[in-house]
Amino acid sequence: MDVAVYGATEKGGVNRQALSQEDVEARNHVVRWASEKGFESFQDHIGNLFVRREGTEANLDPVMTGSHLDSQPTGGRFDGAYGVLAGLEVLHALNDANIQTRRPIEVVAWTNEEGSRFSPGAMGSSIFAGVRDLGAILDVTDPSGIILKDALEETLTAVPVPLRKPDSVTPYCYVETHIEQGPILEERKAPIGVVSGIQGIRRLNLTVTGEEAHAGTTPRRSRKDAFASTVAIISALENLTTDDDDILRFTVGRCEVLPGSPNTVPGQAHFTIDLRHPDNDVLHAVGDKIHTMAKAIGAPCLIEVNDISFVASTKFDKYIMDVIGDAASRLKYDQIIMPSGAGHDAMHMSKICRTGMIFIPCLRGVSHNEAESATPGDLAAGTRVLADTILHFANE
Ligand code: GLV
Ligand code: MN
Ligand code: MN
């Protein structure tokens, strides 16, 4: 709740978008907390923030845990922040209990997981994992035209901790704690989800170019209405992507119509597509179909389709799943093994080290919503399971 102050909204959620002033304040809160407890903090060139608790063998690769502090524009208090704070709580608890571990433990707050202000999302973790190149994304702009490079520089300057070279640390393993963001754990009354993997995500940007014209004088037959074409495309794609089992997820989350005047026929529209499925082949096939269908249906407007990102589906490490499951059993928490519908930084970390995730229930499964909520009991349960899991790997 202390971190939820930064970017707090009237409806009880947070608007703490990546590399904003609110994001900086939350980062500095974590840094202050860490230094009060005697832990050192570092950041890397994409602004990932690390808090380190030394092990008895400082040369060993650290066990990593964490998540993200940035939020959706109308986000909740728990998506991301929970995973960072659960990690800090583990460090604190180990100090309180006077427990030394062989390996260092690092808690990380990844930069820009949400990808709502700057695209693509999971930016910090993907660069850390070598999946993306920092140079390739520095010119990305947010919807108001601010360049990522500038926002990043401001953040790095405003968070007074040393810069650490990108490849100076190789994680031994990575375990992320997160609210489920869906209804399954609550429905099944299980406080712990042992996450088996994450479905694949493909993002596309579409631009529809027509011709501006007078809304009163231009006959329908001679218009090139960019918004009318957009509606036709989206409606056809809704049909294309509706499956009986409701597995394929299709979302148009942003649509901008230009020039945005009531009495001018729109000359241009931009919209985003977020497409998800556990099977990468389906994502390839449906995404490719979107390219051809949009162009065919959008005529006489000109349609440009750009693939922004493709993150293949992830399978988590079986051994980490077992260790998490054993910890939950020992602590007498009901658990279920489940896939993740949402994307997480763990999907990129799984490319460079053994990786797993712990889910806890959230109220009615609601997330990416200011009403997002989780109970103190469930938050504590996830944190206790995380503590046991980290302790296991930190002494391996
Ligand atoms: C993360 O917030 C996602 O979009 O899955
Ligand atoms: Mn998240
Ligand atoms: Mn999110």
Side-chain angles (χ1 to χ4, degrees):
M1 293 311 104
D2 290 346
V3 170
V5 164
Y6 306 113
T9 61
E10 273 180 18
K11 289 186 184 164
V14 288
N15 177 7
R16 193 169 57 234
Q17 295 186 66
L19 307 175
S20 63
Q21 182 56 34
E22 294 77 21
D23 186 12
V24 165
E25 286 167 1
R27 287 161 185 259
N28 279 330
H29 185 99
V30 166
V31 169
R32 272 195 307 277
W33 182 95
S35 89
E36 279 164 24
K37 301 281 185 278
F39 303 124
E40 253 188 294
S41 302
F42 306 90
Q43 54 191 345
D44 65 14
H45 290 79
I46 183 61
N48 296 320
L49 177 65
F50 304 85
V51 175
R52 181 174 169 104
R53 183 179 193 265
E54 285 303 345
T56 51
E57 297 174 49
N59 298 334
L60 292 181
D61 293 336
V63 171
M64 266 193 196
T65 183
S67 194
H68 58 101
L69 292 170
D70 67 308
S71 82
Q72 291 284 316
T74 52
R77 295 165 295 172
F78 301 92
D79 174 4
Y82 170 50
V84 177
L85 299 176
L88 296 178
E89 178 58 28
V90 170
L91 298 194
H92 195 178
L94 290 174
N95 272 12
D96 279 354
N98 222 349
I99 292 174
Q100 304 280 312
T101 57
R102 282 184 70 219
R103 294 179 180 279
I105 302 169
E106 294 200 355
V107 178
V108 52
W110 302 110
T111 292
N112 185 27
E113 190 275 347
E114 295 291 1
S116 46
R117 179 180 178 200
F118 295 105
S119 202
M123 195 175 260
S125 53
S126 63
I127 289 171
F128 182 85
V131 174
R132 291 194 184 102
D133 181 31
L134 176 60
I137 49 152
L138 285 174
D139 293 336
V140 168
T141 52
D142 75 0
S144 71
I146 295 173
I147 305 167
L148 178 86
K149 183 170 181 286
D150 296 341
L152 180 59
E153 253 171 41
E154 269 180 38
T155 298
L156 290 174
T157 311
V159 179
V161 301
L163 262 185
R164 194 163 75 172
K165 287 215 180 76
D167 47 9
S168 56
V169 166
T170 312
Y172 179 64
C173 65
Y174 176 74
V175 183
E176 177 166 350
T177 314
H178 207 284
I179 57 166
E180 179 203 333
Q181 308 183 275
I184 295 165
L185 288 173
E186 187 180 64
E187 274 166 19
R188 304 264 296 267
K189 297 192 174 25
I192 296 297
V194 180
V195 187
S196 54
I198 301 181
Q199 64 179 340
I201 311 171
R202 185 169 177 173
R203 286 234 194 145
L204 303 103
N205 279 355
L206 282 84
T207 299
V208 179
T209 306
E211 190 174 43
E212 289 171 15
H214 195 290
T217 59
T218 319
R220 295 277 291 264
R221 62 178 180 279
S222 52
R223 291 184 183 196
K224 289 184 185 168
D225 183 330
F227 188 55
S229 286
T230 298
V231 170
I233 293 169
I234 293 174
S235 160
L237 295 182
E238 284 280 359
N239 285 334
L240 170 75
T241 54
T242 300
D243 56 351
D244 290 344
D245 296 330
D246 195 6
I247 305 290
L248 184 61
R249 303 276 153 78
F250 168 85
T251 306
V252 175
R254 180 181 292 152
C255 180
E256 188 188 20
V257 182
L258 298 170
S261 160
N263 50 350
T264 295
V265 174
Q268 196 163 66
H270 303 279
F271 65 99
T272 56
I273 292 177
D274 179 302
L275 193 68
R276 307 194 188 203
H277 197 277
D279 182 343
N280 296 323
D281 291 343
V282 173
L283 276 187
H284 283 300
V286 176
D288 293 354
K289 192 107 198 259
I290 288 175
H291 278 257
T292 49
M293 262 178 86
K295 283 175 187 152
I297 288 164
C301 293
L302 215 70
I303 315 298
E304 192 186 319
V305 187
N306 287 308
D307 269 286
I308 297 303
S309 60
F310 183 101
V311 182
S313 61
T314 304
K315 258 177 91 115
F316 287 136
D317 184 84
K318 179 70 176 72
Y319 180 57
I320 293 203
M321 288 174 62
D322 289 345
V323 172
I324 293 170
D326 288 350
S329 299
R330 249 193 331 275
L331 292 162
K332 301 201 174 2
Y333 294 125
D334 287 338
Q335 58 181 284
I336 58 175
I337 295 175
M338 60 188 301
S340 171
H344 298 286
D345 295 299
M347 63 198 178
H348 294 306
M349 292 305 285
S350 72
K351 309 253 168 31
I352 55 165
C353 62
R354 288 186 295 170
T355 293
M357 285 191 79
I358 301 163
F359 274 176
I360 60 146
C362 56
L363 183 68
R364 292 186 294 109
V366 169
S367 187
H368 286 192
N369 186 315
E370 290 159 276
E372 190 182 82
S373 190
T375 68
D378 289 338
L379 292 157
T383 309
R384 294 181 77 198
V385 173
L386 176 71
D388 266 29
T389 304
I390 287 189
L391 200 51
H392 173 100
F393 286 109
N395 284 324
E396 224 178 44

